[in-house]
Amino acid sequence: MALSELEEAKRALDVPLFAGLSGDADVSFEFFPPKSEKMEKTLWDSVVTLEPLNPRFVSVTYGAGGTTRERTHATVARIAKETNIPAAAHLTCVDASKDEIAEVARAYWEAGVRHIVALRGDPPAEGQTFEPHPQGYASAAELVKGLTDIAPFEISVAAYPETHPEADCPQADLDNLKRKLDAGASRAITQFFFTAEAFFRFRDAAAAAGIDAELVPGILPVSNVAQTRKFAGMCGAEIPPWMNDLFEGLDDHPSARQLIAATVAAELCRKLYAGGVRQFHFYTLNRAELSYAICHLLGKRPGGGRQEKAA
Ligand SMILES: Cc1cc2nc3c(=O)[nH]c(=O)nc-3n(C[C@H](O)[C@H](O)[C@H](O)COP(=O)(O)OP(=O)(O)OC[C@H]3O[C@@H](n4cnc5c(N)ncnc54)[C@H](O)[C@@H]3O)c2cc1C
């Protein structure tokens, strides 16, 4: 470990933990397509709140089984048209032929969207296994290759610090990640996780597997452990027991839960930052406050970082 890293690691253990961070981290934010007018307003309020932090991109998810195709497109296209933030569209292989996917991808390109988060996707109903469409792509790696044949998209893919549940073993999952990057993706965004060690172990294993692309931690600020637990098991993420303790007795205290959510996620980000991470992807759940607060703690300020502002 270099001296500068040791100093940085020591500083992370000192109090105040968040003093003097320059705001040099790059951030991106993930949204899901709104289902109602009210949800659309919440989403747009969030985009407007987060835009001044100059995110590298914001991305919009694609509902299980392609169920949000139109809404995802409408949301991404509006972000591309009405904001200065580069917009990324999630796209999955579920229930779609290669031709249908090509059509969706071309429509994005025409709407000015240059970045796709390419995923295999999950079956629409819980408990089912993924079955590729007879004329479709069988994996995210195949989808990445298909997209590169359509247009020169910037492509991000998914990665799993605690291993995807369907993978035979961690090494097989890393081999799959490498296939996706070799097929034309330039970065991997991780599934959420709750200990910095999980990410660092994964980063080391990825490096050992010859992966040198950007690995961006996906940060989920959790304010409702019970809800998170429901989908954590399905997506290969573990919720540590201490998180249960932290939220115990707070069912009727939403504001306290929010504060704890920000504290826990900010501490995770601070540890990742101390370990050299300078890119963060926030699962916003369409709410700006938590992600905004964590970015602020990391030194991000409207128009740039703290240093740039002071200069
Ligand atoms: C950042 C992020 C964003 C997401 N956004 C969405 C979204 O918008 N919509 C949505 O529906 N889902 C989304 N997901 C969830 C994702 O679709 C699921 O996790 C899905 O089960 C796997 O998708 P993948 O792209 O990782 O698949 P793949 O990379 O294809 O991998 C799927 C599994 O198959 C294995 N595998 C693949 N190819 C091979 C092979 N040749 N040999 C052996 N094993 C293989 C992999 O190891 C893995 O276990 C997202 C996940 C992340 C991390």
Side-chain angles (χ1 to χ4, degrees):
M1 198 187 231
L3 185 60
S4 60
E5 283 173 311
L6 276 174
E7 281 167 357
E8 174 53 26
K10 184 180 169 301
R11 231 155 57 79
L13 298 172
D14 285 347
V15 282
L17 202 51
F18 293 97
L21 296 185
S22 68
D24 60 344
D26 286 322
V27 295
S28 53
F29 302 109
E30 184 171 311
F31 300 101
F32 60 85
K35 281 194 189 130
S36 63
E37 258 176 51
K38 191 166 168 243
M39 283 169 81
E40 182 157 354
K41 184 173 178 323
T42 310
L43 166 69
W44 279 98
D45 288 348
S46 300
V47 171
V48 168
T49 303
L50 294 167
E51 184 176 15
L53 296 178
N54 285 340
R56 277 206 300 177
F57 63 88
V58 298
S59 74
V60 182
T61 61
Y62 201 69
T67 45
T68 67
R69 184 179 299 187
E70 280 76 28
R71 280 188 283 131
T72 299
H73 183 98
T75 309
V76 179
R78 187 171 166 197
I79 292 171
K81 192 162 166 244
E82 295 182 22
T83 75
N84 290 318
I85 319 172
H90 292 217
L91 190 55
T92 75
C93 313
V94 179
D95 261 349
S97 68
K98 292 180 185 175
D99 286 349
E100 283 163 342
I101 286 178
E103 200 184 307
V104 174
R106 277 194 209 99
Y108 277 126
W109 188 265
E110 277 157 27
V113 177
R114 298 288 179 264
H115 184 173
I116 302 278
V117 182
L119 305 140
R120 186 200 70 180
D122 284 317
E126 216 179 298
Q128 292 177 344
T129 47
F130 172 81
E131 283 295 335
H133 184 285
Q135 279 86 45
Y137 296 110
S139 69
E142 287 187 11
L143 173 62
V144 171
K145 174 73 186 69
L147 289 170
T148 60
D149 292 339
I150 293 165
F153 284 111
E154 176 183 350
I155 301 175
S156 299
V157 289
Y160 301 86
E162 294 168 298
T163 307
H164 186 271
E166 290 168 45
D168 289 338
C169 62
Q171 187 57 47
D173 212 22
L174 279 171
D175 293 344
N176 180 53
L177 176 58
K178 188 153 182 355
R179 271 194 296 276
K180 296 193 274 193
L181 294 162
D182 290 346
S186 51
R187 109 173 30 79
I189 303 172
T190 77
Q191 187 55 272
F192 60 80
F193 57 91
F194 298 110
T195 65
E197 295 69 29
F199 181 81
F200 293 139
R201 265 198 301 271
F202 174 70
R203 191 175 61 176
D204 288 350
I211 292 170
D212 55 9
E214 207 180 272
L215 300 177
V216 184
I219 306 295
L220 177 68
V222 171
S223 56
N224 186 331
V225 173
Q227 209 176 56
T228 308
R229 183 173 305 286
K230 270 193 201 151
F231 53 90
M234 278 161 47
C235 57
E238 229 175 77
I239 301 192
W242 54 261
M243 273 183 73
N244 290 329
D245 296 344
L246 277 181
F247 288 94
E248 204 179 292
L250 293 181
D251 288 357
D252 299 326
H253 297 272
S255 307
R257 286 208 312 266
Q258 290 285 97
L259 286 172
I260 291 172
T263 307
V264 170
E267 185 188 303
L268 173 62
C269 289
R270 183 65 185 90
K271 286 184 178 165
L272 293 170
Y273 186 92
V277 173
R278 289 296 180 273
Q279 281 100 22
F280 297 88
H281 183 76
F282 291 92
Y283 295 109
T284 68
L285 305 181
N286 290 8
R287 303 258 169 199
E289 298 78 23
L290 286 173
S291 302
Y292 193 94
I294 298 159
C295 290
H296 191 92
L297 283 167
L298 289 173
K300 298 294 290 178
R301 295 293 181 270
R306 195 159 23 215
Q307 267 180 357
E308 286 162 57
K309 239 190 139 103

